[in-house]
Amino acid sequence: MAEKAELYPPIEPFAQGMLEVTDLHSMYWEVSGNPAGVPICVLHGGPGSGSKPFYRRFYDPKAYKIILFDQRGAGKSTPFCELKENTTFDLVDDMEKLRKHLGVVKWVVVGGSWGSTLALAYACCHADRVSAIVTFGIFTCSKSEIDWTFGGGAEQVFPEFWEEFVAQIPVEERHDLMQAYHKRIFGDDEQVSKDCTRAWARWECAIENFEVDRAHIEECDDDWAVSRAKIECHYFVNCGFFASRWHGDQALLDQIHNMQDIPGVIVQSRYDMVCPIRTAWELHKKWPAAELIVVPDSGHSPRHPHVTAEVLKAIDKFKHINEEQLVSQS
């Protein structure tokens, strides 16, 4: 296990823009690093979190052509926090539009948490366009996983923060917190909606670190927190919208055979309380071409130094992969 993680130095994009993906949605994208490097597509979490400059530092700028974008409704994409025409398969389609827009033949795809969901969904739909995958904090948006976080699993470890979370909901509605929160977040009472989005964000911030970071929890009260809570609730109440094409609680895992030969690395923390290790283990069994790395002493956040170190190692592993096949189209 790596003892120390050193991120690459900060860099700025050499290209960026807005790509109109529908009449309603326009996607913010940026490219940094080496224009002639191995294309690598970086997927942010949430859904709704948006990309951050910090993400660029996980990638060797001499080796990679680093592609970031903000998913529908998130970050700099417009309209902000828009939920119409906003499903997992819409995001998969957007990735294909961006790939073609940038002239990329194949790319490495990287995602953590919700980003891992989107990475896997994209690879299942477009395996021929993916050269390798790095995932961490594995999540497949199944009802069982959502129930763990918002229905009574993580509360066993964080009871004091759980009580704050459920306090927004009358006792008689707490048997289905997802529906109760959805009703209030998208209801007509603006103050109730604000209180619920804030409580949602604080709950997630409370449980994502190996050790509770109270300063981090107090930061979860801004536009980012509101957008993430609204978009997450939209996706989670619909279990990622996978039922529109696939079926069953394990809909995404059941499709892994479509991408099982793609090389990859799964980095998973043993004590991840947002995305428990069970899903990573089940994914590993269905994806024999991927290596599973279990970090023994960390939680969900990739900012934990041991998680950071393993994710960096996993990403570096593919910076010379099939370079002849990964040359961008001119």
Side-chain angles (χ1 to χ4, degrees):
M1 185 61 58
E3 293 297 327
K4 185 178 180 181
E6 291 188 8
L7 297 172
Y8 290 97
I11 56 174
E12 294 298 320
F14 63 78
Q16 56 191 332
M18 298 293 292
L19 177 63
E20 185 176 305
V21 291
T22 70
D23 290 341
L24 176 61
H25 288 276
S26 291
M27 171 206 294
Y28 169 78
W29 60 268
E30 64 173 57
V31 186
S32 57
N34 182 355
V38 175
I40 190 162
C41 181
V42 183
L43 305 176
H44 67 70
S49 295
S51 296
K52 299 174 178 60
F54 166 75
Y55 295 170
R56 304 175 198 139
R57 300 186 61 195
F58 279 83
Y59 307 91
D60 184 343
K62 295 181 180 179
Y64 282 120
K65 181 178 183 178
I66 307 160
I67 301 165
L68 278 68
F69 71 94
D70 289 334
Q71 297 157 30
R72 295 190 185 193
K76 298 177 183 178
S77 290
T78 59
F80 179 67
C81 212
E82 177 59 66
L83 303 180
K84 295 177 182 177
E85 301 174 15
N86 196 339
T87 73
T88 303
F89 293 115
D90 289 324
L91 303 184
V92 167
D93 291 344
D94 290 351
M95 290 177 65
E96 269 298 272
K97 291 173 183 176
L98 180 61
R99 182 188 64 77
K100 294 174 182 177
H101 178 72
L102 297 177
V104 172
V105 179
K106 297 178 72 171
W107 48 13
V108 179
V109 179
V110 179
S113 193
W114 162 258
S116 73
T117 313
L118 185 54
L120 296 172
Y122 176 81
C124 287
C125 295
H126 300 284
D128 61 328
R129 297 303 181 182
V130 180
S131 56
I133 306 172
V134 176
T135 58
F136 50 96
I138 308 305
F139 178 60
T140 63
C141 217
S142 67
K143 187 176 185 302
S144 55
E145 291 169 289
I146 294 166
D147 284 347
W148 163 268
T149 306
F150 297 100
E155 70 157 306
Q156 301 297 320
V157 186
F158 300 95
E160 69 275 39
F161 299 106
W162 178 257
E163 288 190 3
E164 291 182 16
F165 179 61
V166 300
Q168 302 294 325
I169 307 300
V171 174
E172 61 271 18
E173 293 185 53
R174 292 181 187 175
H175 64 284
D176 192 341
L177 285 168
M178 187 58 60
Q179 288 292 344
Y181 260 90
H182 186 272
K183 181 172 71 174
R184 287 163 176 79
I185 287 175
F186 299 106
D188 295 331
D189 190 319
E190 292 186 8
Q191 187 59 51
V192 169
S193 177
K194 181 178 179 180
D195 291 344
C196 285
T197 54
R198 182 173 182 271
W200 179 293
R202 286 174 62 86
W203 165 242
E204 285 202 313
C205 288
I207 68 175
E208 70 180 13
N209 288 296
F210 186 56
E211 296 181 353
V212 174
D213 184 345
R214 293 185 179 276
H216 178 54
I217 297 172
E218 294 306 318
E219 294 171 354
C220 295
D221 190 18
D222 54 15
D223 288 345
W224 166 80
V226 170
S227 69
R228 188 175 80 161
K230 286 187 172 181
I231 296 175
E232 280 187 352
C233 189
H234 168 69
Y235 271 77
F236 294 171
V237 79
N238 291 287
C239 293
F241 299 92
F242 286 124
S244 65
R245 293 191 194 178
W246 303 332
H247 304 289
D249 183 49
Q250 302 300 322
L252 181 52
L253 284 177
D254 289 343
Q255 299 298 316
I256 297 301
H257 63 276
N258 292 309
M259 48 146 283
Q260 64 181 358
D261 296 327
I262 299 174
V265 180
I266 304 164
V267 178
Q268 179 67 40
S269 297
R270 174 71 68 184
Y271 299 108
D272 188 332
M273 292 295 149
V274 180
C275 301
I277 192 173
R278 166 59 69 181
T279 303
W281 179 248
E282 295 301 327
L283 173 62
H284 173 57
K285 292 193 294 183
K286 292 176 177 287
W287 186 15
E291 176 186 10
L292 174 63
I293 304 296
V294 178
V295 186
D297 55 356
S298 58
H300 184 68
S301 175
R303 290 178 181 263
H304 187 285
H306 293 170
V307 180
T308 300
E310 293 301 335
V311 172
L312 282 168
K313 285 168 57 179
I315 293 169
D316 280 350
K317 182 177 181 178
F318 299 112
K319 62 186 180 182
H320 301 297
I321 186 171
N322 297 332
E323 291 184 33
E324 293 182 359
Q325 299 179 23
L326 295 172
V327 175
S328 296
Q329 297 173 347
S330 58

